Amino acid sequence: MPLRSMTSQMRPVFSAGSNSAKAKHRDSAKAKHRDGEAKAELGALPEWNLADLYSGTDSPKLKADLATGERAADAMHEQYAGKLGEIAATGKGGEKLAEAVREFEALNDMLGRIVSYASLLYAANTSDPARQKFYGDIQEKLTAISSKLLFFPLELNRLDDDAIEKAMASSELGHYRPWLEDLRKEKPYQLEDKLEQLFHEKSVTSRGAWDRLFTETMTSLRFNVDGEQLSLEPTLNLLLEQDETKRRKASKALAVVFKDNLRLFTLITNTLAKDKEISDRWRGFVDVADSRHLANRVEKEVVDALVAAVREAYPRISHRYYALKAKWLGKDKLAHWDRNAPLPEEPSRTIGWDEAQDIVIGAYGDFSPRMADIAGQFFAKNWIDAPVREGKSPGAFSHPTVPSAHPYVLLNYQGKPRDVMTLAHELGHGVHQVLANAQGPLMAPTPLTLAETASVFGEMLTFRKLLEQAPSKRERKALLAAKVEDMINTVVRQTAFYSFERKVHAERRDGELTSERLGEIWLEVQHESLGPAIDIKPGYEVLWAYIPHFIHAPFYVYAYAFGDCLVNSLYAVYEKAEPGFAERYLDMLAAGGTKHHTELLKPFGLDATDPTFWGRGLSVIEGLIDELEDLEA
């Protein structure tokens, strides 16, 4: 059953304890003091309230919905399984099919609410045994229930084109045309019912189990930095410190722990790549990324053109920028831990939560009061979980949940300028998800490529607002540099990640990859994308291991580059547009998954299938680097 996509829309990424009780106490006291100071600077950080889904794991409503869902699935199977062709052939076939789809949609929403609650509860603390069990139990129960509904989309796709077209033309089934047309694109890759059921039920103990092992392992790791045992997010945050010594120590701590766990991460990567190869082979996908392109409703040729354009631009963008940055920092080359180091011009103060909220809501409001109103609900109604906590999932995401509820945003907010941009990014997703909910459970989900367009546009609005308010040339330079680095991380780095995945999955078809080989591929794509101004030190070869997208959503990463380049072109249209652009933009988001990217972009005069399209988006990044050079003149 195609439950509404539970792949939350994510932000792109970038040991042994002490031996003595005295040392542990000292480290604990130091950590508590530092945490207390940080909390005071950040202000009160919100934690989400999941009661809009269910009041708790023992909620009577949750138990009732599970029982209702199982009964409804049984009833739907008994009423419709093996009978859709016969129903379609009757005089009122269209009306009866429309009624069946509505039942399927309502059940999709109910079961989606349950799995969303379990997923969010688990993400907030993946190390809690009670939450681990609850999440696992819910997965198993919903897999069993939804396996009874697998027949429905399979049988719909067995109806011949004339029959389904006639049914859509003469009844309310036509409302679901976008979903049915998308469904039929998957028809060539469907298996017979029993095989589909086997794939579905085995997912809990195959891909789902390995995904969970990766998540729980990653959140349990501790990195020893100057005697403090830090989780992943605070350790990565040290790479953004002004102090180079802190950056170097954090980078080395990451390398030590990932090397200690490399055998496990290599096994997970090999297993999941093979799992995908088996599925692709049985379904008839030829290229390693074909299934992702199908899910994204984007043509392989469009993605290939994007990747070729970005790789061709590496020297003009990332290589050029990092050479400039090395000069600004007084170095011949940048050690890899200095790649995201702040410039001396960048203010070192912590940005409190209230200020971050004002910045993002202000930027959204200047563009569209309606957009700001929607984003404001996330703050007012506790739809955001912001603090860093032990056991919490690293990174950031916006989870769509279901149309009968609302999205939730997870952050690990630490008051850096990039944290403000992450907030803007995830709220872009959140606004998109709220608007798309009007399309209902089957048609609200949006391909990742267009989902990342909404998030990156939110970032761009926030950046431009801050740039307008920059009080000095020095701060303008810091803002421009930070934005260029974000764009490089979103376009160049994610394209390199995609290249890494392609090589790994292609080689996995011929056998397992060793840890050393994975490191070699990682270094190849990183050298190519980062350029000669980055000095990749020992230890960097293992940093592929912590990228969650490789595990949870293979080939997700090119969507970031797609979204960033598209937004660059879209924003250029906005700057020159007549009144009404904001309304057209929000209409595009509200379309959810009902339109192809060519149709969505047409009102803005944009066409992603145009071979020159990606070059125009990349030229915006080059223009910002030009502006940085002019500020130095």
Side-chain angles (χ1 to χ4, degrees):
M1 177 182 181
L3 289 174
R4 190 180 189 195
S5 174
M6 291 302 114
T7 301
S8 305
Q9 283 146 5
M10 300 176 280
R11 173 73 163 156
V13 175
F14 300 108
S15 98
S18 305
N19 292 324
S20 70
K22 184 177 180 181
K24 287 180 181 177
H25 177 75
R26 182 178 65 248
D27 293 342
S28 175
K30 183 166 64 172
K32 286 179 180 177
H33 177 70
R34 176 177 51 79
D35 290 346
E37 288 183 336
K39 287 177 181 176
E41 290 179 309
L42 294 174
L45 295 177
E47 297 186 15
W48 56 30
N49 176 12
L50 300 182
D52 289 349
L53 298 174
Y54 295 102
S55 60
T57 56
D58 58 352
S59 160
K61 172 65 173 168
L62 173 59
K63 293 176 182 177
D65 281 354
L66 276 169
T68 300
E70 185 164 18
R71 287 196 301 271
D74 286 335
M76 194 164 184
H77 190 276
E78 182 177 350
Q79 184 174 0
Y80 296 114
K83 303 171 185 174
L84 292 186
E86 180 182 330
I87 290 171
T90 64
K92 294 187 177 181
E95 293 176 17
K96 292 180 179 178
L97 286 177
E99 181 181 349
V101 171
R102 283 193 294 270
E103 290 178 32
F104 181 73
E105 183 176 43
L107 195 47
N108 198 297
D109 191 271
M110 179 187 294
L111 299 182
R113 176 182 287 261
I114 296 169
V115 75
S116 295
Y117 176 70
S119 299
L120 292 169
L121 196 70
Y122 174 68
N125 188 354
T126 65
S127 61
D128 177 13
R131 297 188 189 211
Q132 292 171 354
K133 174 176 168 49
F134 178 73
Y135 177 64
D137 288 349
I138 289 295
Q139 279 190 312
E140 290 182 12
K141 289 175 182 177
L142 291 185
T143 298
I145 293 171
S146 58
S147 67
K148 301 171 185 177
L149 299 167
L150 282 175
F151 78 91
F152 192 72
L154 297 175
E155 283 195 33
L156 281 175
N157 268 351
R158 292 196 192 104
L159 300 177
D160 64 55
D161 292 343
D162 288 343
I164 200 77
E165 187 62 41
K166 182 179 178 181
M168 287 191 292
S170 62
S171 70
E172 293 181 13
L173 189 65
H175 169 73
Y176 295 99
R177 176 181 291 275
W179 177 70
L180 290 165
E181 289 180 346
D182 273 352
L183 190 65
R184 293 180 85 76
K185 290 173 184 174
E186 298 174 2
K187 184 176 180 178
Y189 310 103
Q190 284 182 186
L191 305 174
E192 64 96 5
D193 291 18
K194 286 295 184 182
L195 279 175
E196 289 287 0
Q197 186 174 358
L198 178 63
F199 267 64
H200 183 68
E201 293 189 12
K202 288 283 287 181
S203 65
V204 174
T205 54
S206 55
R207 171 164 289 279
W210 290 99
D211 279 357
R212 183 174 164 186
L213 176 62
F214 175 87
T215 298
E216 293 182 10
T217 300
M218 197 59 69
T219 55
S220 71
L221 296 179
R222 293 298 175 266
F223 304 85
N224 188 336
V225 184
D226 275 342
E228 289 188 51
Q229 300 297 319
L230 303 178
S231 59
L232 179 61
E233 279 297 328
T235 308
L236 291 173
N237 193 54
L238 290 175
L239 297 176
L240 304 176
E241 286 287 333
Q242 288 279 3
D243 186 342
E244 182 178 355
T245 301
K246 290 183 179 179
R247 297 195 301 269
R248 186 184 72 251
K249 288 181 177 180
S251 180
K252 290 187 174 182
L254 291 167
V256 166
V257 174
F258 291 145
K259 281 182 180 178
D260 288 345
N261 292 273
L262 204 55
R263 180 181 176 189
L264 175 60
F265 291 130
T266 299
L267 176 60
I268 292 172
T269 299
N270 272 298
T271 301
L272 289 176
K274 182 61 178 179
D275 182 87
K276 185 178 185 305
E277 185 275 328
I278 293 169
S279 178
D280 285 353
R281 174 161 39 87
W282 275 81
R283 294 187 181 283
F285 291 113
V286 177
D287 185 77
V288 291
D290 277 350
S291 59
R292 174 60 65 197
H293 302 332
L294 177 64
N296 283 343
R297 302 301 185 248
V298 63
E299 300 76 15
K300 180 178 183 297
E301 295 75 19
V302 172
V303 178
D304 289 346
L306 163 65
V307 172
V310 174
R311 292 180 67 185
E312 192 271 333
Y314 284 168
R316 302 193 306 276
I317 296 178
S318 50
H319 298 188
R320 176 186 169 206
Y321 175 76
Y322 289 133
L324 279 173
K325 185 170 184 177
K327 183 180 73 172
W328 295 334
L329 296 181
K331 298 173 179 289
D332 293 328
K333 288 187 175 185
L334 295 172
H336 69 256
W337 52 73
D338 293 330
R339 190 174 60 83
N340 287 322
L343 298 184
E345 292 87 348
E346 184 172 310
S348 59
R349 70 182 182 87
T350 296
I351 301 171
W353 180 253
D354 289 344
E355 183 181 356
Q357 176 180 344
D358 290 343
I359 290 169
V360 176
I361 295 297
Y364 279 26
D366 287 349
F367 175 72
S368 164
R370 184 182 175 204
M371 190 172 175
D373 287 345
I374 296 171
Q377 294 182 56
F378 284 77
F379 298 95
K381 299 181 178 180
N382 286 359
W383 297 353
I384 302 175
D385 194 87
V388 177
R389 284 192 306 270
E390 290 291 314
K392 184 176 178 179
S393 289
F397 63 71
S398 181
H399 196 304
T401 75
V402 288
S404 62
H406 54 76
Y408 283 94
V409 166
L410 179 142
L411 305 170
N412 280 274
Y413 188 83
Q414 298 176 78
K416 299 286 188 185
R418 279 189 172 87
D419 291 319
V420 179
M421 288 300 169
T422 298
L423 175 62
H425 180 102
E426 298 306 338
L427 285 177
H429 281 312
V431 169
H432 189 185
Q433 291 159 352
V434 168
L435 289 169
N437 277 345
Q439 300 296 340
L442 298 181
M443 296 185 292
T446 307
L448 295 175
T449 42
L450 293 168
E452 291 306 333
T453 298
S455 58
V456 176
F457 194 82
E459 281 190 75
M460 182 65 85
L461 291 172
T462 304
F463 162 69
R464 291 294 180 182
K465 176 76 171 179
L466 290 172
L467 197 63
E468 287 174 11
Q469 296 175 345
S472 66
K473 179 179 176 181
R474 179 183 176 87
E475 289 202 22
R476 183 177 179 86
K477 176 184 175 182
L479 283 167
L480 282 168
K483 183 57 180 173
V484 168
E485 289 186 18
D486 276 347
M487 287 174 148
I488 288 173
N489 285 334
T490 305
V491 178
V492 171
R493 189 159 170 78
Q494 302 304 318
T495 299
F497 284 1
Y498 177 67
S499 298
F500 172 77
E501 284 190 281
R502 289 194 61 84
K503 289 174 182 285
V504 168
H505 282 264
E507 288 195 20
R508 184 63 183 89
R509 290 183 171 186
D510 297 324
E512 289 199 4
L513 286 79
T514 63
S515 300
E516 290 74 18
R517 180 56 187 149
L518 288 165
E520 288 171 359
I521 298 172
W522 176 253
L523 291 179
E524 286 171 14
V525 300
Q526 295 302 310
H527 278 298
E528 179 195 18
S529 62
L530 300 178
I534 298 293
D535 184 9
I536 294 180
K537 303 284 189 181
Y540 191 82
E541 71 278 359
V542 300
L543 295 190
W544 58 268
Y546 83 96
I547 310 298
H549 305 67
F550 298 161
I551 304 302
H552 303 312
F555 303 107
Y556 182 123
V557 290
Y558 75 74
Y560 293 122
F562 190 110
D564 197 285
C565 289
L566 197 159
V567 163
N568 290 341
S569 297
L570 194 62
Y571 200 87
V573 174
Y574 166 54
E575 290 182 311
K576 301 173 185 176
E578 299 294 326
F581 178 94
E583 288 73 20
R584 293 199 303 277
Y585 175 75
L586 295 180
D587 285 346
M588 179 180 79
L589 300 188
T594 63
K595 295 180 180 179
H596 187 262
H597 63 81
T598 51
E599 189 178 357
L600 286 170
L601 296 177
K602 192 173 182 179
F604 306 99
L606 299 175
D607 181 4
T609 65
D610 181 347
T612 66
F613 176 79
W614 303 115
R616 292 199 298 273
L618 292 167
S619 69
V620 173
I621 309 176
E622 294 180 57
L624 293 178
I625 300 174
D626 290 341
E627 192 171 345
L628 278 168
E629 286 188 315
D630 291 341
L631 286 173
E632 288 292 296

